[in-house]
Amino acid sequence: MSISTSLPRVGAEARAALFTDARTTYAFADTPVDDATLTGIWELARWAPTAANLQPLRVLYVRTPEGKERLLPHLDEGNRPKSASAPVVAVLAVDNRFHEHIPRILPIRPQMKEYFEGDSAQRDSITSFNGPLQAGYFILAVRAFGLAAGPMGGFDAAGIDKEFFPDNDWHAVLVVNIGHPAGAPEFDRLPRLEHEHVIDWV
Amino acid sequence: MSISTSLPRVGAEARAALFTDARTTYAFADTPVDDATLTGIWELARWAPTAANLQPLRVLYVRTPEGKERLLPHLDEGNRPKSASAPVVAVLAVDNRFHEHIPRILPIRPQMKEYFEGDSAQRDSITSFNGPLQAGYFILAVRAFGLAAGPMGGFDAAGIDKEFFPDNDWHAVLVVNIGHPAGAPEFDRLPRLEHEHVIDWV
């Protein structure tokens, strides 16, 4: 019989705040969110696992009127009022040159830096899976700080990349409005799939 | 001034259990995990958001000796002892026919079912982003139940699909070992990127 390490469970309040009660938010109050909180969201999300610890996700926080003015034209028209109302809009991006950090983040296999440098298809494989994986962690980390998240896929990614990332190799994958909700949600929650449709057993 | 709704924050203990203290686990104790807990993990993870509520992730729970015997040959050799030691191995897959559920999960736009039926590239776009996004939620939901997760990308996806999903259109994207850790982690945590390398501001 092997020795089992006991891990703490997360209680009902935290589960509700992160999963069962939390709602995607479309209209935000003008209550500000400070930069230290925004840094803290990343510093929480970053501890969840990625393939070979490669951590390809990057975050552009847009929270000035000038920044909003540059961002809004690249969002689908129906999404602009949502982002206009949010005190902060996070553009989540993947860094196609994530491998440059390998000597520090994967010190047990520093030679992987050269491997990825020479194989852009392998880099794409890492970013296309681990970017969205980290986006999931990020959305829950936003909620952990008592803030509402409004993730949106409707935007011109190439337009955002050109506007904000001309000097590096970041590529926008998700836009997340962040702030405090203005009032209650406007409609009931959409249904989730029952486990019979999702889980199989062997 | 708009009215702001106050949301609960998640405390230090839950943050530690989900993010800052949790470790990827490679060796598991033989303490069993019951099926009700495994169903509960899905029923927690499913509430986090997906694009248009489409929820393409599926879960195959492998927890019998017969199931393990069918799964292990399709894992990279170095990963087999990890999954052999885990009381449960979850194969996370995306369902390329997720759109069949649209009349129930997106009742405000039932016509999207026909749209996706006719456009397999759009289906791929949904599954390739939202599958990993939901995998992130799933890993944190495992931890919420006081269990350790050991996600692994090293496996033969086509082999797993052929072995377990011959009759539907599920495609394996991640294998996650689940259970109680056998003793303390074997090595120190790998470093995470500092915010200076990840966050940009406008």
Side-chain angles (χ1 to χ4, degrees):
Chain A
M1 191 83 184
S2 50
I3 298 162
S4 175
T5 304
S6 185
L7 295 174
R9 292 168 66 94
V10 169
E13 277 179 54
R15 290 186 192 194
L18 295 171
F19 292 100
T20 50
D21 280 359
R23 293 289 304 268
T24 290
T25 295
Y26 304 101
F28 294 84
D30 50 14
T31 316
V33 177
D34 61 43
D35 288 357
T37 299
L38 298 173
T39 302
I41 290 167
W42 159 252
E43 290 182 339
L44 187 61
R46 67 176 174 171
W47 292 106
T50 54
N53 198 40
L54 291 171
Q55 312 167 58
L57 197 75
R58 304 293 179 260
V59 185
L60 171 71
Y61 282 124
V62 181
R63 75 276 189 258
T64 62
E66 299 72 26
K68 288 275 199 78
E69 204 166 297
R70 291 170 59 195
L71 176 65
L72 262 54
H74 302 289
L75 305 181
D76 289 1
E77 222 170 311
N79 284 336
R80 289 176 200 166
K82 305 174 192 172
S83 292
S85 86
V88 185
V89 185
V91 176
L92 303 188
V94 291
D95 183 356
N96 192 37
R97 298 199 61 75
F98 65 85
H99 57 292
E100 291 181 355
H101 296 288
I102 285 177
R104 264 180 316 119
I105 60 181
L106 195 61
I108 50 177
R109 284 197 274 166
Q111 71 279 13
M112 294 294 283
K113 180 182 171 184
E114 297 312 313
Y115 166 77
F116 280 113
E117 179 64 41
D119 193 335
S120 71
Q122 280 299 325
R123 295 210 301 278
D124 288 346
S125 164
I126 291 292
T127 56
S128 65
F129 190 87
N130 291 274
L133 183 78
Q134 287 191 283
Y137 304 147
F138 182 90
I139 289 167
L140 297 187
V142 168
R143 293 174 167 181
F145 277 80
L147 294 165
M152 310 188 308
F155 56 88
D156 170 18
I160 288 180
D161 293 352
K162 194 174 168 192
E163 176 69 34
F164 293 105
F165 314 134
D167 299 324
N168 52 22
D169 212 348
W170 294 16
H171 302 278
V173 296
L174 191 69
V175 171
V176 184
N177 300 320
I178 297 173
H180 297 271
E186 283 171 39
F187 53 83
D188 285 346
R189 206 162 193 184
L190 289 170
R192 297 306 194 268
L193 289 171
E194 294 303 323
H195 63 83
E196 293 84 359
H197 300 295
V198 172
I199 302 179
D200 202 356
W201 306 87
V202 288
Chain B
M1 192 81 184
S2 49
I3 298 162
S4 175
T5 304
S6 185
L7 295 175
R9 291 169 66 94
V10 169
E13 277 177 55
R15 290 186 191 193
L18 295 171
F19 292 100
T20 50
D21 280 358
R23 294 287 304 268
T24 290
T25 295
Y26 303 102
F28 292 84
D30 50 15
T31 317
V33 177
D34 62 43
D35 288 359
T37 299
L38 298 174
T39 302
I41 290 167
W42 159 253
E43 290 183 339
L44 187 62
R46 67 176 174 171
W47 291 107
T50 54
N53 197 41
L54 291 171
Q55 313 168 58
L57 198 74
R58 304 292 179 259
V59 184
L60 171 71
Y61 282 124
V62 181
R63 75 274 188 263
T64 62
E66 298 73 25
K68 288 275 197 79
E69 205 166 295
R70 291 169 60 194
L71 177 65
L72 261 55
H74 302 290
L75 306 181
D76 289 1
E77 222 170 311
N79 283 337
R80 289 175 200 166
K82 305 175 193 172
S83 292
S85 86
V88 185
V89 184
V91 177
L92 303 188
V94 292
D95 183 356
N96 192 37
R97 300 199 60 75
F98 65 85
H99 56 291
E100 291 180 355
H101 296 288
I102 285 177
R104 265 180 315 119
I105 59 182
L106 194 61
I108 51 177
R109 284 196 274 166
Q111 72 280 12
M112 294 295 282
K113 180 182 171 185
E114 298 311 313
Y115 166 77
F116 280 113
E117 178 65 40
D119 192 336
S120 71
Q122 280 300 324
R123 295 211 300 278
D124 289 344
S125 164
I126 292 293
T127 56
S128 65
F129 190 87
N130 291 274
L133 184 79
Q134 286 190 285
Y137 304 147
F138 182 89
I139 290 168
L140 297 186
V142 169
R143 292 174 169 183
F145 277 80
L147 294 165
M152 310 187 307
F155 57 88
D156 170 17
I160 288 180
D161 294 352
K162 195 175 168 192
E163 176 68 36
F164 292 104
F165 314 134
D167 300 324
N168 52 22
D169 212 347
W170 293 17
H171 302 278
V173 296
L174 192 68
V175 171
V176 184
N177 300 319
I178 298 174
H180 297 270
E186 284 172 38
F187 53 83
D188 285 345
R189 205 161 193 184
L190 290 170
R192 298 305 194 270
L193 289 170
E194 294 303 323
H195 64 83
E196 294 85 358
H197 299 294
V198 172
I199 303 179
D200 202 356
W201 306 87
V202 289

